[in-house]
């Protein structure tokens, strides 16, 4: 196992200062929690890549600031917003690949969101996950669902159904979020089988 640190640990310090702190603490691998749209842009990425090289840091995963809105963006009955969000996330995947990441961390739908129309909710959800995984894979990125206590991904039955229908989906296991959901981390590991590729401690 390779140990790293998330730049979210240093929030609200700006991303470029977060990686400086990570290096000062002796880390060599980071998860980038990107906090604004401009931080995905080419000019900022160019600067960030240079700084990462100078600090000797490798990017393992990328986490988007839109994680709290993913249900609204991607899993509603407003098809145009879903299409636009898929394009937005494709740009995220391209940026993650450019920064050298292997994984993209996703929260998904909130527990109590209005969500998709009940008649075809599962079908539409799985279809969107397939598209996200396909677009990430085209950029050389593994798309990973994280278990989050305030999201549908905290529910073991939801996760089992998701991984049954979207076998290409990978998993980020968050131990803290498992505790917040009142479950043991091993419950989540069992639910997703061998798909865990990233671990948040």
């Amino acid at each position: 196992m390779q140990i790293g640190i998330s730049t979210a640990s240093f929030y609200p310090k700006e991303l470029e200062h977060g990686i400086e702190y990570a290096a000062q603490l002796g880390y060599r691998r980071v998860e980038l929690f990107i906090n604004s749209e401009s931080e995905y842009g080419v000019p900022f990425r160019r600067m960030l890549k240079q700084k990462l090289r100078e600090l000797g840091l490798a990017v393992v995963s990328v986490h988007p600031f839109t994680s709290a809105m993913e249900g609204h963006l991607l899993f509603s009955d407003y098809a145009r917003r879903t299409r636009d969000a898929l394009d937005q996330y494709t740009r995220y995947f391209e940026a993650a690949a450019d920064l050298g990441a292997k994984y993209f961390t996703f929260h998904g739908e909130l527990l109590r969101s209005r969500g998709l129309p009940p008649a075809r909710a599962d079908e539409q959800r799985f279809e969107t996950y397939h598209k996200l995984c396909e677009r990430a894979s085209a950029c050389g990125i593994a798309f990973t669902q994280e278990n989050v206590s305030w999201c549908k991904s905290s529910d073991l039955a939801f996760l089992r159904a998701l991984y049954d229908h979207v076998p290409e989906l990978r998993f980020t296991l968050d131990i803290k979020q498992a505790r917040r959901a009142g479950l043991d981390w091993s419950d989540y590991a069992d639910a997703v089988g061998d798909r865990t590729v990233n671990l948040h401690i």
Side-chain angles (χ1 to χ4, degrees):
M1 181 182 292
Q2 298 178 337
I3 304 297
I5 193 168
S6 174
T7 59
S9 302
F10 310 112
Y11 184 86
K13 294 292 184 185
E14 292 177 320
L15 181 58
E16 61 271 32
H17 301 308
I19 63 172
E20 290 171 353
Y21 287 130
Q24 288 169 15
L25 290 170
Y27 289 95
R28 290 293 170 259
R29 296 172 185 85
V30 290
E31 175 181 77
L32 297 180
F33 198 110
I34 297 183
N35 288 296
S36 72
E37 194 70 24
S38 64
E39 291 176 352
Y40 283 103
V42 172
F44 186 89
R45 290 198 327 251
R46 191 178 295 124
M47 176 276 293
L48 193 62
K49 286 169 65 177
Q50 178 63 30
K51 189 174 282 288
L52 287 162
R53 279 194 295 269
E54 290 171 358
L55 294 170
L57 289 173
V59 177
V60 175
S61 60
V62 165
H63 205 311
F65 72 99
T66 46
S67 56
M69 299 176 57
E70 285 165 346
H72 182 68
L73 290 171
L74 289 154
F75 303 101
S76 76
D77 52 0
Y78 201 79
R80 183 181 295 131
R81 184 168 59 229
T82 300
R83 288 194 298 270
D84 287 353
L86 284 167
D87 290 341
Q88 178 183 16
Y89 273 65
T90 300
R91 293 192 294 273
Y92 289 172
F93 302 149
E94 291 168 350
D98 186 37
L99 291 164
K102 296 179 180 179
Y103 310 118
F104 186 89
T105 304
F106 186 73
H107 284 185
E109 298 168 84
L110 300 178
L111 266 177
R112 294 174 180 83
S113 63
R114 192 182 83 168
L116 298 164
R120 61 182 304 267
D122 288 344
E123 178 187 348
Q124 195 168 328
R125 177 180 297 114
F126 301 147
E127 181 181 320
T128 298
Y129 269 97
H130 282 303
K131 289 177 180 176
L132 287 164
C133 289
E134 181 180 0
R135 290 179 181 221
S137 179
C139 297
I141 300 291
F143 187 77
T144 78
Q145 174 68 63
E146 182 179 16
N147 60 294
V148 181
S149 62
W150 40 270
C151 291
K152 292 187 188 296
S153 59
S154 63
D155 181 84
L156 295 174
F158 175 86
L159 279 181
R160 289 190 189 99
L162 191 56
Y163 281 88
D164 282 346
H165 289 86
V166 191
E168 66 271 32
L169 181 63
R170 293 297 175 256
F171 189 63
T172 291
L173 172 60
D174 191 309
I175 292 175
K176 175 188 69 180
Q177 292 292 336
R179 295 286 291 176
R180 286 181 173 176
L183 294 168
D184 192 88
W185 66 266
S186 62
D187 296 327
Y188 289 100
D190 291 343
V192 302
D194 62 357
R195 295 182 176 100
T196 301
V197 294
N198 195 19
L199 179 63
H200 286 175
I201 300 174

